[in-house]
Amino acid sequence: MSEVLVKEIDETRQGEAYAPFADDPNRFLKKFYIESYGCQMNFSDSEIVASILNNEGYGATRNTEEADLILLNTCSIREKAEQTVRNRLQAFKNIKDKKPGVLVGMLGCMAERLKSKLLEEERLVDIVVGPDAYRSLPVLIAEADGGQKSVNVLLSREETYSDIAPVRLDSNGVSAFVSIMRGCNNMCTFCVVPFTRGRERSRDAASILKECTDLFNTGFREVTLLGQNVDSYYFTDETGNNITFAMLLQQVAAISPLLRVRFSTSHPKDITDDVLHTMAQHHNICKYIHLPVQSGNTRILQLMNRTYTREWYLAKVKRIKEIMPDCALSTDVITGFCTETEEDHQDTLSLMAQCRFDLAYMFAYSERPGTLAERRYTDDIPEAVKKRRLEEIIQLQTKTTRENYDKDLGATYEVLIEGNSRRSDQHWSGRNTQNKVVVFPKNNAPLKKCDYVNVRITGSTGATLLGEMVD
Ligand code: SAM
Ligand code: SF4
């Protein structure tokens, strides 16, 4: 995957451990350490786990040496992610050997598949908890404290953790992720998510609105509504009203014009004109859509069970630009899926050239156990070919990104300040509605984090726009 273009699976955050709570030197008698891998949903889940553990008297630590409970929130999307997790578990086993009594737990997507192997065969963990079973953590910890190996990997058709207020650890205090649904019903043949995270279910709209309102009232200025397929959000409330994703978006946007609203991920088959019009009508719904294409070839898309064609995807992009000409687009692409020919690969390149994505997350196909592709097809593209094709699409995307950034020169954007720039405390860093990072000098102006400011773009470096404030 290209380093410069990463975000959805943010490589800079892989293995991130939470910081201790700012206000808690002595509040918690026991400490937990949690490291998270994978997509934003997993990072979001770790905040739910933190909330459950707080209630059990555990405070967070960034230091494994002082932890009583070490947790790893795992990802199964690609083989590499699983291998990283295994290496970390081995390292934790060494800590445990030195400090008996420490419990090690594995959470998330690897739980179901590897439970017996890691618990019994390799004895790397004491607790295994699947993504729908975090409420049972206190019981499992108690069992494990008593010397039993504890497992709960049951998937649920109802669990959305809607009543649990996530603990915003390590947050910048400006933007937060809000989970609006769990699981996925789509069955893309390459993907483990439907097996590891279960059936799709939508969270109670009222609880989503409450969480977003609370965030706004505590100073946050941006929420990202999260789900594997947000456009199929559908909730029937107590009075029988059906709430679609477009309606939910509208309601979240209505909390305050000062609250920016983002969402991820959209499926090309599900994103509706209603959603696009709702975005266009609200200044505070950010003009940015992550619309994974996966391949530019219709035959490969069919093998992937994406249920749209190349033409359908291109028509969707055209529609988005008709309704919101300034809308930024990003995508996910997989190279070297089963039977992909050079011509199929060229179709992906030509689609990318046509769509001119602002950002792309690009992956070489990695066969995952239990998926439909593993059962039905042969992973027949040699690694070297997958990598070469990946390099080609990365090169094309890097060029497009560069050109798109150059086009921003001279434009003025409203930027939400997120904090100091990474390189200098004399510069602010924030993002524009299209999700591009913008850095500009503070010039002693009376501004602070969470303020909006207009910035004129004067240049760019890598994936960052540079600018100066304007009145
Ligand atoms: N639900 C989202 C969607 O429909 O695009 C994203 C799901 S997944 C967490 C994120 C991305 O990982 C996918 O869009 C796909 O490009 C990539 N991915 C999933 N399974 C993969 C596999 N077996 N090999 C390579 N990439 C994969
Ligand atoms: Fe996986 Fe497809 Fe569901 Fe995305 S939509 S999570 S790629 S099955």
Side-chain angles (χ1 to χ4, degrees):
M1 181 171 35
S2 154
E3 244 175 62
V4 262
L5 304 168
V6 169
K7 198 216 77 193
E8 188 185 59
I9 291 188
D10 184 345
E11 297 292 358
T12 61
R13 296 198 68 191
Q14 298 304 295
E16 185 175 283
Y18 283 132
F21 304 102
D23 60 349
D24 98 288
N26 302 308
R27 216 174 100 210
F28 298 101
L29 297 175
K30 292 175 278 180
K31 301 259 191 240
F32 75 93
Y33 170 96
I34 188 165
E35 227 174 74
S36 311
Y37 291 86
C39 64
Q40 196 50 58
M41 291 293 291
N42 252 11
F43 281 78
S44 213
D45 277 5
S46 291
E47 298 189 331
I48 288 169
V49 168
S51 177
I52 294 170
L53 290 176
N54 269 195
N55 287 338
E56 293 302 301
Y58 283 88
T61 174
R62 247 189 187 160
N63 180 1
T64 45
E65 306 285 322
E66 64 173 27
D68 304 285
L69 174 65
I70 298 178
L71 299 171
L72 213 65
N73 197 351
T74 63
C75 170
S76 281
I77 285 282
R78 283 174 299 279
E79 201 179 349
K80 186 171 160 256
E82 273 199 17
Q83 196 46 52
T84 314
V85 165
R86 274 180 166 279
N87 297 343
R88 289 304 285 151
L89 286 176
Q90 198 58 55
F92 295 152
K93 186 161 190 293
N94 298 339
I95 296 176
K96 198 174 151 63
D97 288 344
K98 282 192 223 143
K99 192 177 159 192
V102 171
L103 296 177
V104 176
M106 177 175 67
L107 317 176
C109 294
M110 275 171 66
E112 162 62 25
R113 198 169 72 76
L114 291 178
K115 59 179 190 293
S116 5
K117 209 164 166 28
L118 297 179
L119 268 176
E120 283 138 32
E121 278 176 45
E122 299 178 27
R123 297 182 166 271
L124 282 180
V125 295
D126 307 292
I127 302 169
V128 175
V129 199
D132 287 345
Y134 296 141
R135 284 180 205 271
S136 65
L137 256 169
V139 173
L140 298 176
I141 293 170
E143 279 175 8
D145 261 334
Q148 264 174 273
K149 299 282 175 198
S150 328
V151 190
N152 187 348
V153 291
L154 289 178
L155 290 171
S156 154
R157 279 177 182 255
E158 283 96 36
E159 183 62 273
T160 57
Y161 301 109
S162 62
D163 56 320
I164 296 182
V167 172
R168 311 282 170 192
L169 298 163
D170 269 356
S171 151
N172 61 4
V174 183
S175 47
F177 291 91
V178 175
S179 169
I180 64 163
M181 57 207 294
R182 299 183 71 83
C184 184
N185 286 353
N186 275 336
M187 289 300 189
C188 301
T189 54
F190 52 79
C191 185
V192 285
V193 169
F195 305 97
T196 58
R197 301 188 74 94
R199 305 286 294 170
E200 179 186 289
R201 64 227 97 118
S202 295
R203 178 180 165 190
D204 180 348
S207 81
I208 298 170
L209 286 171
K210 181 176 180 315
E211 188 175 326
C212 295
T213 308
D214 289 349
L215 283 164
F216 181 72
N217 290 338
T218 48
F220 284 80
R221 288 295 172 265
E222 185 176 282
V223 290
T224 302
L225 307 180
L226 279 184
Q228 295 296 352
N229 186 9
V230 288
D231 299 285
S232 62
Y233 177 89
Y234 195 79
F235 186 79
T236 306
D237 71 13
E238 283 157 6
T239 55
N241 286 330
N242 296 324
I243 299 163
T244 62
F245 182 58
M247 292 157 85
L248 181 75
L249 257 186
Q250 195 277 328
Q251 290 175 15
V252 177
I255 291 172
S256 166
L258 290 178
L259 180 69
R260 272 187 174 177
V261 188
R262 299 186 184 277
F263 55 89
S264 187
T265 297
S266 296
H267 195 295
K269 77 174 160 54
D270 291 320
I271 189 163
T272 59
D273 271 13
D274 257 5
V275 166
L276 301 180
H277 287 303
T278 307
M279 288 177 76
Q281 280 155 13
H282 292 81
H283 176 71
N284 59 331
I285 304 182
C286 291
K287 305 299 176 278
Y288 168 64
I289 300 177
H290 183 57
L291 197 69
V293 65
Q294 314 298 0
S295 167
N297 175 269
T298 297
R299 183 183 68 85
I300 294 291
L301 286 170
Q302 270 165 2
L303 287 180
M304 288 176 163
N305 195 28
R306 290 292 289 181
T307 69
Y308 53 84
T309 59
R310 174 188 173 94
E311 289 68 33
W312 169 282
Y313 187 90
L314 289 172
K316 199 50 96 175
V317 169
K318 187 162 168 262
R319 188 74 184 131
I320 292 169
K321 296 285 182 183
E322 266 164 22
I323 296 177
M324 289 173 290
D326 59 341
C327 188
L329 273 181
S330 62
T331 200
D332 292 348
V333 183
I334 297 178
T335 61
F337 189 64
C338 315
T339 76
E340 187 189 68
T341 63
E342 285 306 322
E343 289 72 39
D344 301 337
H345 168 59
Q346 288 303 323
D347 283 348
T348 298
L349 284 165
S350 74
L351 179 134
M352 291 175 74
Q354 209 171 324
C355 294
R356 300 193 61 77
F357 297 108
D358 294 276
L359 199 67
Y361 309 101
M362 296 164 278
F363 314 96
Y365 173 58
S366 148
E367 186 179 79
R368 304 312 294 133
T371 56
L372 297 179
E374 189 231 17
R375 285 183 255 163
R376 287 182 191 163
Y377 315 134
T378 310
D379 180 13
D380 56 354
I381 308 301
E383 270 324 294
V385 175
K386 287 182 189 172
K387 287 222 169 78
R388 193 252 305 147
R389 289 179 188 168
L390 181 60
E391 272 312 310
E392 286 175 15
I393 63 167
I394 288 174
Q395 257 180 34
L396 172 64
Q397 185 54 44
T398 308
K399 183 170 159 278
T400 311
T401 306
R402 184 73 280 124
E403 290 165 3
N404 284 350
Y405 273 68
D406 285 349
K407 275 200 203 136
D408 285 325
L409 266 179
T412 297
Y413 291 120
E414 184 182 63
V415 173
L416 171 61
I417 300 180
E418 292 180 2
N420 286 339
S421 106
R422 252 192 266 171
R423 298 225 170 116
S424 139
D425 62 4
Q426 294 308 305
H427 287 74
W428 288 121
S429 172
R431 275 179 299 151
N432 66 4
T433 184
Q434 284 92 2
N435 211 25
K436 288 182 182 163
V437 174
V438 182
V439 168
F440 56 96
K442 292 183 178 175
N443 288 348
N444 296 321
L447 287 168
K448 55 183 184 329
K449 210 163 85 163
C450 289
D451 284 346
Y452 288 96
V453 59
N454 287 326
V455 179
R456 191 160 51 84
I457 305 306
T458 54
S460 64
T461 63
T464 305
L465 291 173
L466 307 173
E468 55 196 19
M469 282 182 275
V470 290
D471 290 338

